[in-house]
Amino acid sequence: MGSASSASRVIFLDVDGRTQKVVFSRFCSPCDIKELFCTATGLSRNTTISLLDSTGAMVSIDPTMPNNSESSPYKVVPITGGQLADKEEVFQNVLTQVAEQFSRAFKINELKSEVTNRLAMLEKRVELEGMKVVEIEKCRSDIKKLREEMASRNSSFLEDNKKLTPHRDVSSYPKYMLSQQTIDALRKPTFDVWLWESNEMLSCLEYMYHDLGLVKDFNINPITLKRWLLCIHDNYRSNPFHNFRHCFCVTQMMYSMIYLCNLQEKFTQVDILILMTAAVCHDLDHPGYNNTYQINARTELAVRYNDISPLENHHCAVAFQIFSQPDCNIFANVDPEAFKQIHQGTITLILATDMARHGEILDSFKQKVDSFDFTNEEHVTSLKMVLIKCCDISNEVRPMEVAEPWVDCLLEEYFMQSDREKAEGLPVAPFMDREKVTKPTAQIGFIKFVLIPMFETLMKLFPQIEEVMVQPLRESRDRYEELKQIDDAMNEFHFIGAEKEE
Ligand SMILES: [Zn+2]
């Protein structure tokens, strides 16, 4: 065999039991060889075939396929359309599945990125909301702090030390320069308390301490006295009634009583100092709402003093807070024993101004008055309590023009309270209710059943007060009774008029 035989391949095929020899070039493509085999076996050129050896094993169709002999030809088996279709179907299925897997994989990736984005957005929102929550909490605590601060400023002197030292310097209020006319008038209950500015009232109070010999006898530093009075002024609130002018009125009435009843002849200077100082301090930091309101509204003061004279206890506490400031301590040069007496005596008198104790205090005094003993400490204390009580509610002792404006002030303060009680759903006392009370009705009962009996009891010990104090009270009672009759007549007239109109 020459070069031709080395470049060609010889394969024997079984064609329907007959052996067919096929020769092809070693350089033929597998596709050419397949076409050649199809032609050799009488099949069309494009038929898909497989090649089997004598054992039935498949033989690959390509130029390097194994040789065979004439006695063992390969068998050409055409692959049927059905089989092909099945395989195509399988192939298609596989393709579809692969495509689905791919698309799922893609979708999962898409979902993943979407979920990641959404998570990031949510995280950001949570963070923002969290910041908002923190801000809100911060605001809440700020509001709470502000509320507490306001409440403590409104209702409690004790936490607010700013007022303990006077705002103004003493030099800004001049040394008392009272005319002889003012000095003479100051000793009488007829003194017109509406004519004076705060500074003038301060000068009057200062004068009283000098005039009674208290500055000299207790070695009070005159500058400390001025500073103390300024501080007192600053610790009265601007209520319609319970304000610094009321403090001045009560103290001025006490000063008048001391002269009228010659109390300096009967009392020690310590007692005089107690009477004057208790009068000055007796309503310090009054909030303008009475004990009934404090107790019903369960205010800080009512809680602090267990509903026992909350206001009067507070006035005392503020008074002695002021004395605890060295700048304002007019008792700095008083010996400890006397200070103890002054401290206790002042507290007793301020606490006695609680009208809830009126009956008890007056009854106790009534039991002593007929056999009164100025050397008996208990008797003297009882008298001092009645004296400060008389001064505290003494407006109707004053001339009508001076007394009457105070009724309007008191009613204004009462109405402020009753309006607040109504708004807060608390009980309202009829004498404070703007729907029920008039000036005459407010005054008649008070003068008849509180003022006159108390002043008449005091009159037993000091008959000189009848003309100067008790008589004006009776006149005032009569005047208000006349006013009430006019009011009643007017109401009746309106009533008849209304009936006629109907
Ligand atoms: Zn008072």
Side-chain angles (χ1 to χ4, degrees):
M1 307 236 273
S3 62
S5 67
S6 65
S8 57
R9 298 286 316 273
V10 177
I11 293 293
F12 297 93
L13 300 175
D14 177 0
V15 181
D16 300 329
R18 168 181 67 86
T19 301
Q20 173 69 49
K21 184 181 177 184
V22 181
V23 181
F24 55 90
S25 162
R26 259 179 218 282
F27 307 108
C28 270
S29 71
C31 203
D32 288 344
I33 299 165
K34 260 186 197 169
E35 276 186 19
L36 188 63
F37 285 178
C38 285
T39 310
T41 50
L43 296 166
S44 76
R45 276 172 52 196
N46 292 329
T47 311
T48 310
I49 52 166
S50 58
L51 204 61
L52 307 174
D53 68 8
S54 55
T55 66
M58 274 181 88
V59 181
S60 77
I61 304 168
D62 61 64
T64 61
M65 59 192 286
N67 287 326
N68 62 352
S69 62
E70 208 169 354
S71 57
S72 56
Y74 293 141
K75 197 165 182 149
V76 175
V77 181
I79 294 165
T80 61
Q83 276 176 318
L84 189 65
D86 284 351
K87 283 195 178 166
E88 266 178 8
E89 203 177 318
V90 170
F91 184 65
Q92 276 302 326
N93 280 344
V94 170
L95 261 182
T96 313
Q97 281 177 25
V98 169
E100 270 175 17
Q101 294 289 345
F102 266 104
S103 101
R104 238 182 249 167
F106 279 122
K107 270 186 190 160
I108 284 169
N109 275 342
E110 260 173 46
L111 269 173
K112 259 190 193 167
S113 72
E114 201 181 327
V115 167
T116 311
N117 284 343
R118 282 199 184 178
L119 266 175
M121 275 165 66
L122 277 172
E123 272 171 5
K124 197 151 199 172
R125 270 177 70 181
V126 167
E127 196 183 323
L128 283 172
E129 295 296 319
M131 275 163 69
K132 276 186 202 164
V133 168
V134 171
E135 285 289 311
I136 289 167
E137 281 306 312
K138 200 172 163 284
C139 279
R140 271 200 190 138
S141 85
D142 284 353
I143 289 169
K144 199 175 162 227
K145 270 185 210 154
L146 271 173
R147 279 223 176 103
E148 284 167 358
E149 204 179 311
M150 278 171 70
S152 72
R153 282 197 182 179
N154 277 341
S155 63
S156 172
F157 170 88
L158 298 174
E159 284 78 24
D160 183 2
N161 293 326
K162 279 180 197 152
K163 288 182 178 175
L164 278 175
T165 44
H167 296 309
R168 290 164 289 165
D169 193 71
V170 285
S171 62
S172 73
Y173 112 69
K175 182 174 163 58
Y176 61 90
M177 298 274 279
L178 306 179
S179 68
Q180 192 55 47
Q181 198 188 357
T182 307
I183 289 169
D184 294 341
L186 199 56
R187 292 182 183 178
K188 292 170 187 158
T190 48
F191 187 76
D192 189 345
V193 296
W194 295 105
L195 293 178
W196 315 93
E197 305 268 339
S198 289
N199 281 350
E200 292 167 317
M201 290 189 277
L202 284 168
S203 291
C204 288
L205 293 173
E206 187 189 355
Y207 170 80
M208 294 173 202
Y209 272 72
H210 281 277
D211 181 52
L212 291 168
L214 300 174
V215 175
K216 185 172 151 282
D217 288 356
F218 295 98
N219 196 12
I220 298 171
N221 180 328
I223 301 297
T224 308
L225 176 64
K226 277 175 180 283
R227 269 199 229 102
W228 172 65
L229 287 169
L230 267 179
C231 194
I232 292 291
H233 170 271
D234 291 347
N235 280 289
Y236 273 92
R237 302 194 196 183
S238 49
N239 298 313
F241 186 95
H242 289 101
N243 49 42
F244 178 67
R245 196 177 297 279
H246 168 66
C247 149
F248 175 74
C249 280
V250 176
T251 314
Q252 191 270 328
M253 189 59 75
M254 185 64 83
Y255 181 66
S256 304
M257 286 263 201
I258 290 169
Y259 275 101
L260 186 62
C261 305
N262 300 312
L263 292 181
Q264 286 193 291
E265 289 173 15
K266 298 179 166 66
F267 282 159
T268 64
Q269 279 293 79
V270 169
D271 286 329
I272 299 293
L273 181 63
I274 290 170
L275 282 169
M276 288 296 290
T277 307
V280 169
C281 299
H282 87 283
D283 270 331
L284 273 170
D285 199 42
H286 195 298
Y289 300 92
N290 71 9
N291 279 331
T292 307
Y293 175 82
Q294 304 296 327
I295 293 165
N296 288 341
R298 298 176 186 179
T299 62
E300 202 188 320
L301 286 182
V303 172
R304 181 178 299 155
Y305 296 112
N306 306 305
D307 295 352
I308 303 162
S309 304
L311 288 178
E312 292 72 21
N313 272 298
H314 181 58
H315 306 321
C316 281
V318 176
F320 283 92
Q321 279 239 315
I322 292 170
F323 289 130
S324 74
Q325 299 285 110
D327 279 359
C328 297
N329 185 11
I330 56 168
F331 308 131
N333 302 322
V334 169
D335 66 81
E337 195 49 45
F339 179 78
K340 216 170 136 188
Q341 217 183 324
I342 294 162
H343 182 235
Q344 191 50 56
T346 306
I347 291 170
T348 303
L349 293 206
I350 295 177
L351 293 182
T353 61
D354 182 356
M355 281 304 287
R357 295 177 57 203
H358 176 75
E360 165 217 323
I361 292 169
L362 188 58
D363 285 349
S364 167
F365 180 65
K366 276 178 180 169
Q367 286 172 11
K368 298 173 180 77
V369 75
D370 291 327
S371 55
F372 197 85
D373 179 4
F374 276 98
T375 62
N376 182 323
E377 204 187 313
E378 216 183 300
H379 283 210
V380 170
T381 300
S382 181
L383 171 59
K384 284 190 290 179
M385 286 161 88
V386 169
L387 282 170
I388 195 166
K389 280 175 59 56
C390 283
C391 294
D392 192 16
I393 54 176
S394 64
N395 285 327
E396 289 301 334
V397 167
R398 296 181 185 278
M400 187 251 285
E401 318 79 66
V402 180
E404 199 175 340
W406 280 115
V407 184
D408 295 300
C409 294
L410 190 62
L411 288 180
E412 194 186 330
E413 201 168 297
Y414 281 175
F415 294 158
M416 227 169 71
Q417 176 171 329
S418 59
D419 289 346
R420 186 166 173 181
E421 285 168 333
K422 285 172 190 172
E424 292 176 6
L426 297 171
V428 179
F431 71 89
M432 290 193 172
D433 195 335
R434 62 171 81 243
E435 311 291 326
K436 294 173 184 160
V437 78
T438 65
K439 264 162 80 172
T441 57
Q443 291 310 88
I444 292 168
F446 189 64
I447 298 169
K448 272 169 93 170
F449 302 114
V450 179
L451 284 170
I452 292 178
M454 182 162 68
F455 276 84
E456 280 180 345
T457 309
L458 188 65
M459 202 174 81
K460 288 184 176 177
L461 210 56
F462 305 108
Q464 62 269 51
I465 71 164
E466 176 160 24
E467 188 194 332
V468 186
M469 295 181 159
V470 182
Q471 202 48 42
L473 286 176
R474 292 172 184 150
E475 282 163 19
S476 178
R477 174 201 59 196
D478 295 345
R479 182 174 159 267
Y480 278 118
E481 278 185 333
E482 275 171 36
L483 282 175
K484 188 177 180 292
Q485 278 175 1
I486 295 168
D487 274 2
D488 291 349
M490 291 293 279
N491 285 337
E492 206 175 326
F493 178 74
H494 284 305
F495 181 65
I496 292 165
E499 271 192 339
K500 273 188 182 164
E501 274 171 30
E502 279 178 21

